[in-house]
Amino acid sequence: MFFNNYENSLRKLPLKGLYQKEDLLTDEFLYAKEGKVEVYWAPFEYINKDAKVIILGITPGWTQMELAFNYVRHHIDEEEYEHLISNAKNHASFGGTTMRKNLIEMLEGIELHKFLKINSCEQLFNDEHSLLHTTSVLRYPVFIEGENYSGSSPKLFSQEIFLRMIDELLVPELNQVKNAVIIPTGKVVSDVLRYLVDEGKIAHELILFNFPHPSGANGHRREQYENNKNTFKELLIAAGKRGQFQETINQLKPSEDQMSELIKHLKIIGEELKRGNDLKERNSYNEKRLLQLADEIEPYDHKIALVIEHLLR
């Protein structure tokens, strides 16, 4: 967990509305360096193992780095570690003026939301972010002489530092989210995934190769998208028929906090039902209280039923 290595330096950052490169591209946050290539740590370590979709970029840019640092610095004393890094990643992923908007439009165009049974792909970045895992071929932000690395110069496969990050960070990360559909954004990302598949390092059933990068600077984005749009749809339909978008038992299983709260509510309900059984006006009491209890347990009943159904199989 690299967060611990940088936490003290992060806490020393002054609280600001917007950080500049001189605030964050410092020796305190330098992860690795090779020639002109500089890699800086950023809080992008959260892995959503139950995600149905992985959206994969080449590397976080400066905008995403600033957004993630900004979120963590302002919430580090308010949120537990897991929530903190999850929220920071969700806040920053494909953030910026147009990138997330373009990405959502393309995902809507291939009707990904219908397979995920949600109303809009925009929900993946807010109330349905549990379905999504975002990451990058190079997990941490890469800069060439202070500018965002685009994946072309230097060539990704020509740098030992990049190959190390792929083997040590990306491969284990993807293999923890085994059942997800991978959407690689851009040619370089697709090339890396083809290499990993050919080498047997990952074994995901569905990868939407040739999905364009959502950056507004990608002049070929619309043409690339239209040329492959129907293929993407057909692949999603086939994946849906294989059951790739169905809930897994891990997703049905309540979290420890949910289970603790559920047990507490069930104990209260049991005690009240027992007490109601001893009342003279038992029938009228129970009828009224059962209606109230139904309302109280309603947020849990779907998950309870699904877990019980699974256990009885």
Side-chain angles (χ1 to χ4, degrees), residues 242-258:
R242 291 197 303 269
Q244 191 153 355
F245 297 102
Q246 292 177 2
E247 286 185 299
T248 65
I249 189 58
N250 286 336
Q251 290 169 310
L252 298 179
K253 183 180 178 182
S255 67
E256 288 186 14
D257 288 343
Q258 288 174 320

Side-chain angles (χ1 to χ4, degrees), residues 48-49 51-58 94 103 107 110 112 116 124 131-137 169-198 201-212 231-233 235-236 239 242 244-245:
N48 179 12
K49 298 177 183 179
K52 291 299 179 186
V53 179
I54 299 172
I55 301 179
L56 186 67
I58 182 68
F94 295 94
L103 177 60
L107 297 178
I110 61 175
L112 177 65
L116 298 173
L124 291 172
L131 297 170
L132 176 66
H133 179 62
T134 57
T135 189
S136 301
V137 168
L169 298 176
L170 178 64
V171 170
E173 180 175 0
L174 293 181
N175 285 327
Q176 288 186 69
V177 198
K178 294 181 179 179
N179 297 317
V181 174
I182 303 181
I183 301 179
T185 58
K187 181 181 183 303
V188 175
V189 183
S190 283
D191 289 345
V192 170
L193 289 180
R194 286 192 177 95
Y195 161 75
L196 294 180
V197 170
D198 291 344
K201 295 185 177 184
I202 62 172
H204 291 71
E205 286 193 64
L206 177 58
I207 300 174
L208 300 187
F209 291 111
N210 302 316
F211 197 92
T231 300
F232 296 149
K233 282 185 176 182
L235 289 171
L236 289 175
R242 291 197 303 269
Q244 191 153 355
F245 297 102

Side-chain angles (χ1 to χ4, degrees), residues 3 26 28-29 31 35 71 82 99 108 123-124 133 141-142 152 156 167 187 196 198 225-226 235 240 260 305 310:
F3 185 92
T26 62
E28 286 80 7
F29 298 113
Y31 175 80
Y71 185 91
E82 285 291 329
M99 197 175 336
E108 294 269 345
Q123 291 179 282
L124 291 172
H133 179 62
V142 177
S152 59
L156 191 145
D167 280 337
K187 181 181 183 303
L196 294 180
D198 291 344
Y225 179 69
E226 291 301 327
L235 289 171
S260 176
H310 175 78

Side-chain angles (χ1 to χ4, degrees), residues 39-78:
V39 183
Y40 290 88
W41 175 84
F44 291 119
E45 297 169 1
Y46 177 72
I47 300 176
N48 179 12
K49 298 177 183 179
D50 291 325
K52 291 299 179 186
V53 179
I54 299 172
I55 301 179
L56 186 67
I58 182 68
T59 185
W62 164 251
T63 298
Q64 290 74 43
M65 180 179 181
E66 195 282 330
L67 287 169
F69 264 93
N70 204 314
Y71 185 91
V72 170
R73 182 62 189 91
H74 283 80
H75 296 84
I76 194 167
D77 293 318
E78 301 170 5

Side-chain angles (χ1 to χ4, degrees), residues 93-142:
S93 294
F94 295 94
T97 53
T98 61
M99 197 175 336
R100 186 178 288 191
K101 176 177 176 292
N102 291 340
L103 177 60
I104 290 169
E105 286 179 357
M106 289 192 288
L107 297 178
E108 294 269 345
I110 61 175
E111 300 181 340
L112 177 65
H113 56 294
K114 293 184 179 179
F115 295 96
L116 298 173
K117 297 179 176 60
I118 59 178
N119 296 325
S120 164
C121 288
E122 186 175 3
Q123 291 179 282
L124 291 172
F125 295 94
N126 44 67
D127 56 329
E128 295 289 353
H129 65 90
S130 63
L131 297 170
L132 176 66
H133 179 62
T134 57
T135 189
S136 301
V137 168
L138 306 174
R139 178 187 293 177
Y140 301 125
V142 177

